[in-house]
Amino acid sequence: LKACLFDADGSVAASANAETGFEEKAPGNSEQEPAFWWEALTSACERIASENEGGLDGVAAVALCGFTRTQVFLDQAGRSVRPALGFRDSRAESVLAAVRRDEALCADGVLAGLNAFHPTARLLWLKENEAANWERTRLVLEPKDYLNLQLTGIARSDRVSQHWLAQSLAGGDASVAARLGIARALLPPLGRPEDIVGQVREGLAGALGALAGAKVLCGSNDSWTAVAGLGGLKSGSAYC
C-alpha cells in the first residue's frame, strides 16, 4: 500500500508504504482479511504524519484507488463476513463447471463472458460453498471502497470498478445474476470516481484523527487511475 501527501501545487510533501499481500495457502486460493488493508493504511499515514511538519493537519481531501476483481463481503452492519477473495482466486471455476451443464443457461448465453475471476462467479461460489456466509452477506465492495467506508462510515463505489457486477445484476429477474440464483441487491450506490463519498469521520485513532472533516473521493481502480496520472485521459492524448 502506497500513500502520498501532496501540496496544493501537486508536489509530494511526504510518502510511505506498507507491505500487503494475499494469503495463498492452496492452489487457486487467494484471500486477505480487509482489516489488514485498513491497518496498512493507518500505518502508512502514521509514517507520513511523522515525516511532515504539522502531521496531517489541514488535509483537504483523500482519494484512494486500488486493485479490482477483489470482493469484500460485508454483513448488514458493515462487518466483514469472511476474508476477501483476491483477484487471483480461481475457485469459482468449480461452480462454473457445474452450471455449464445446464443446457438452458448455455443456450440463452447467460454464461457468456463468465470465468473464475468474474465477480458474479465469485458470488456463486460463495453461495454454493459457504451458505452461512452467503446468508450474512448484504454488501459487496472493492478494497478501496472498504477503506472509504472505514474513513467515512458511508458505502459507495464507482461504475468503473463495479462495471462487471453491476452489469450482471441489471435487469431484475431476467438478469444474469438472477438466472444463477443471485437475486439480491448487493451493490452500494454507484457514481463517478470524482464523486465525494463523504467526510472523514471524527474519532479515528492516531494520525488519521487529524483528517476529520476532510472530503473523501470515491476513486477508481488502479489501471484507470494510473492512466489519469499519466495524462492519458486528456483530450487529444493516448497511452499504450
Side-chain angles (χ1 to χ4, degrees), residues 147-226:
L147 295 177
N148 280 343
L149 174 61
Q150 304 312 303
L151 286 172
T152 66
I154 300 171
R156 295 280 173 84
S157 192
D158 67 293
R159 289 189 287 267
V160 178
S161 299
Q162 293 283 18
H163 167 76
W164 297 108
L165 185 53
Q167 185 181 60
S168 70
L169 290 169
D173 292 342
S175 70
V176 170
R179 294 288 303 278
L180 293 171
I182 305 171
R184 187 184 294 176
L186 293 167
L187 284 175
L190 303 181
R192 302 171 301 173
E194 65 268 30
D195 287 346
I196 296 172
V197 173
Q199 295 180 324
V200 177
R201 54 194 173 93
E202 299 280 349
L204 293 179
L208 291 179
L211 295 176
K215 296 176 181 178
V216 177
L217 282 77
C218 188
S220 191
N221 65 53
D222 49 1
S223 297
W224 283 49
T225 306

Side-chain angles (χ1 to χ4, degrees), residues 31-221:
E31 299 183 340
Q32 187 53 266
E33 290 289 351
F36 181 64
W37 298 322
W38 176 245
E39 292 168 4
L41 176 63
T42 300
S43 174
C45 288
E46 291 287 350
R47 288 205 292 276
I48 285 179
S50 68
E51 294 176 7
N52 184 61
E53 186 177 352
L56 297 180
D57 290 340
V59 170
V62 178
L64 298 176
C65 67
F67 46 79
T68 187
R69 299 292 181 100
T70 297
Q71 289 72 46
V72 178
F73 306 101
L74 304 179
D75 65 13
Q76 190 69 41
R79 297 180 297 247
S80 177
V81 168
R82 71 175 315 283
L85 293 180
F87 54 83
R88 287 163 53 91
D89 197 289
S90 61
R91 283 174 286 180
E93 182 57 41
S94 60
V95 295
L96 286 179
V99 297
R100 287 188 186 112
R101 292 193 286 271
D102 187 318
E103 294 182 359
L105 291 177
C106 292
D108 291 348
V110 173
L111 304 180
L114 290 185
N115 59 33
F117 309 104
H118 195 289
T120 305
R122 300 277 180 73
L123 297 185
L124 187 60
W125 178 86
L126 184 66
K127 178 175 177 289
E128 297 297 325
N129 289 273
E130 298 181 2
N133 287 335
W134 169 250
E135 288 303 318
R136 291 176 57 205
T137 299
R138 289 295 179 271
L139 192 62
V140 178
L141 298 181
E142 293 276 316
K144 58 95 177 173
D145 301 321
Y146 172 79
L147 295 177
N148 280 343
L149 174 61
Q150 304 312 303
L151 286 172
T152 66
I154 300 171
R156 295 280 173 84
S157 192
D158 67 293
R159 289 189 287 267
V160 178
S161 299
Q162 293 283 18
H163 167 76
W164 297 108
L165 185 53
Q167 185 181 60
S168 70
L169 290 169
D173 292 342
S175 70
V176 170
R179 294 288 303 278
L180 293 171
I182 305 171
R184 187 184 294 176
L186 293 167
L187 284 175
L190 303 181
R192 302 171 301 173
E194 65 268 30
D195 287 346
I196 296 172
V197 173
Q199 295 180 324
V200 177
R201 54 194 173 93
E202 299 280 349
L204 293 179
L208 291 179
L211 295 176
K215 296 176 181 178
V216 177
L217 282 77
C218 188
S220 191
N221 65 53

